[in-house]
Amino acid sequence: MNRNIERLYNGLWKENPTFVLMLGMCPTLAVTTSAINGIGMGLSTTVVLVLSNMMISALRNLIPDRVRMPAFIVVVASFVTMVQFLMQGFLPTLYEALGIYIPLIVVNCIILGRAESYASKNPVIPSMFDGIGMGLGFTVGLTFIGVVREILGAGSAFNVAIPALDNYHIALFGLAPGAFIVLGFLVAVMNVIRRKMEEKGKPLPAVQGCLAGDCAGCSLSTACTGKSLTHHVDELPPVNPAEVAKPTANEMEVKQTANAKNSEDVEKSGSDSSYADDDIVGKEDK
Amino acid sequence: MSYVTGLILLLVSSAIVNNVVLSQFLGLCPFLGVSKRVETAAGMGGAVIFVITIASFVTSVIYKFILAPTGFEYMQTIVFILVIAALVQFVEMFLKKSVKSLYESLGVYLPLITTNCAVLGTAINNVTNNYDILESVINGVGIAVGFTIAIVIMAGIREKIEYNDIPETFKGSAIVLLTAGLMAMAFLGFSGVI
């Protein structure tokens, strides 16, 4: 049970996909024009993530290592299609608002990233909790950015107008430039927090994916083609040795159970993945 | 409005007015990751034009002649993502074997493109808007050219930013995102054109 709660905490706080890992930036920028859209996108991603994590984890011993990426993609794409039709049927307004970004959940780094680094190496229940944690962390991130943009851009929060802001909102924040600017400031704030935490000796996990200036951080690119772009990977911030060397008691336990149950899997997928992001995640997850 | 005028308007609107990066937020990864130097940015742009054009054609043909007649439209997401992944691999192998010079200039960028949501986005976009095959290809070319314009401008600006004294906190991706915000603001100016 401890392990499941640790997974939730990990997704919501310690490795929050939006704030800490900075993954899945396409939807983060595109759909956060309002808080409601943020929640909608976050929850649909969560549903897909939980279901695909469970399915991939259940099939992890059946899927041959060499074709795992195409297999993951098919699983994820199937669930995305289901979610898409359910939304079209039951939440038509949200479906309209999110538009093309629903099918694009397939290429969201978070989903394939979790499949590759966690679900494909761990049993079903922890994978489910991992999906819930990461998904809710993503939802919280999107909702937060959505609220900020809605307050600045439309003077309302969750579609409720704030009377004090009647004459003081800047429509630009609801449009494309606002998304970039809000995210830019968010990254800057996170840079400050990151530095403060490092001074305290408790560094945050490294930024992965696009904002690390590295597309190879996304599992899909390397795993699909079996190639890594070393000149990009070199630029990734190094793993902090202090953090890896001293895992908490809780993490130790996770490590041991995971290794004992399917050390073969872990080793197999660990050895042939050549990109740096896997190493960073892997060290904590294995 | 004749068919040809429509095509030209479609090209301009997908390249500039609805710029794929700056107003649709697709293909952000390479836009932020591969925009440090103009040369690499242009290389990436070239590879994206190449792949998106072929991918729009292939996915649109598959949709029109396989998925639509058999009533499997709901399979589009799965089919498109697999087709695109296979296509990128195939293009890479083909270039490596037969067009060596092109492979040397674009080869490095091809693996990156599979992840690019702009490719899948274009394919889905073509289907949602009911474009015929020619329109799909034109839309694809437009989107890819728009991507190239955005990434090359961004790389040009970033080469200059290197020499600027920006606050420590904003170094790295923060300043790039703010720059992108300003570029998006400039591109908003095109929204009245068509």
Side-chain angles (χ1 to χ4, degrees), chain B residues 119-134:
Chain B
V119 186
L120 182 61
T122 310
I124 294 172
N125 198 356
N126 289 336
V127 168
T128 327
N129 291 327
N130 262 329
Y131 289 148
D132 63 29
I133 293 173
L134 185 58

Side-chain angles (χ1 to χ4, degrees), chain A residues 26 29-30 77 81 85 100-101 103-104 106-107 176-177 180 188 191-192 195 210-211 215 221 224-225 227 229 235, chain B residues 22 24-26 28-29 32 36 74 77-78 81 89 92 108 111-112 115 117 121 124 169-170 173-174 177 180-181 185:
Chain A
C26 276
L29 288 169
T81 309
F85 283 110
I100 194 173
Y101 298 99
L104 287 181
V106 180
V107 282
F180 285 111
N191 280 347
V192 174
R195 200 144 19 106
C210 323
L211 288 182
C215 301
S221 70
C224 266
T225 55
K227 275 182 202 153
L229 293 164
E235 287 163 17
Chain B
L22 298 170
Q24 313 288 316
F25 306 107
L26 301 179
L28 270 178
C29 251
L32 299 172
K36 281 194 183 127
Y74 62 88
T77 315
I78 304 178
I81 185 93
Q89 294 253 346
E92 199 185 348
V108 218
L112 282 184
T115 5
C117 42
I124 294 172
T169 312
F170 280 91
S173 44
L177 284 167
M185 225 182 278

Side-chain angles (χ1 to χ4, degrees), chain A residues 31-198:
Chain A
V31 303
T32 51
T33 44
S34 73
I36 300 288
N37 285 356
I39 293 186
M41 186 69 198
L43 289 182
S44 16
T45 311
T46 308
V47 172
V48 175
L49 185 55
V50 172
L51 293 174
S52 66
N53 257 7
M54 286 169 70
M55 180 65 102
I56 286 165
S57 167
L59 296 176
R60 70 186 184 282
N61 295 327
L62 295 176
I63 299 175
D65 205 43
R66 304 191 77 179
V67 294
R68 65 183 192 283
M69 268 299 143
F72 294 169
I73 293 174
V74 173
V75 170
V76 175
S78 319
F79 285 123
V80 168
T81 309
M82 284 179 214
V83 167
Q84 185 182 355
F85 283 110
L86 287 175
M87 279 179 83
Q88 196 173 11
F90 295 103
L91 299 164
T93 29
L94 190 63
Y95 178 79
E96 286 291 313
L98 299 182
I100 194 173
Y101 298 99
I102 300 175
L104 287 181
I105 294 176
V106 180
V107 282
N108 191 324
C109 298
I110 299 175
I111 297 186
L112 280 162
R114 292 328 284 176
E116 169 79 0
S117 68
Y118 196 86
S120 60
K121 297 164 191 169
N122 289 283
V124 177
I125 300 293
S127 296
M128 182 181 84
F129 278 94
D130 184 71
I132 297 176
M134 278 285 160
L136 290 183
F138 187 55
T139 311
V140 170
L142 288 190
T143 315
F144 175 77
I145 299 176
V147 169
V148 171
R149 283 183 68 191
E150 203 182 337
I151 290 177
L152 290 173
S156 62
F158 295 96
N159 291 341
V160 181
I162 303 169
L165 291 176
D166 261 355
N167 298 319
Y168 298 101
H169 52 84
I170 312 161
L172 189 73
F173 280 97
L175 301 170
F180 285 111
I181 293 172
V182 169
L183 191 69
F185 276 100
L186 178 70
V187 172
V189 170
M190 285 313 295
N191 280 347
V192 174
I193 296 178
R194 223 163 252 286
R195 200 144 19 106
K196 288 262 152 70
M197 293 300 279
E198 253 161 52

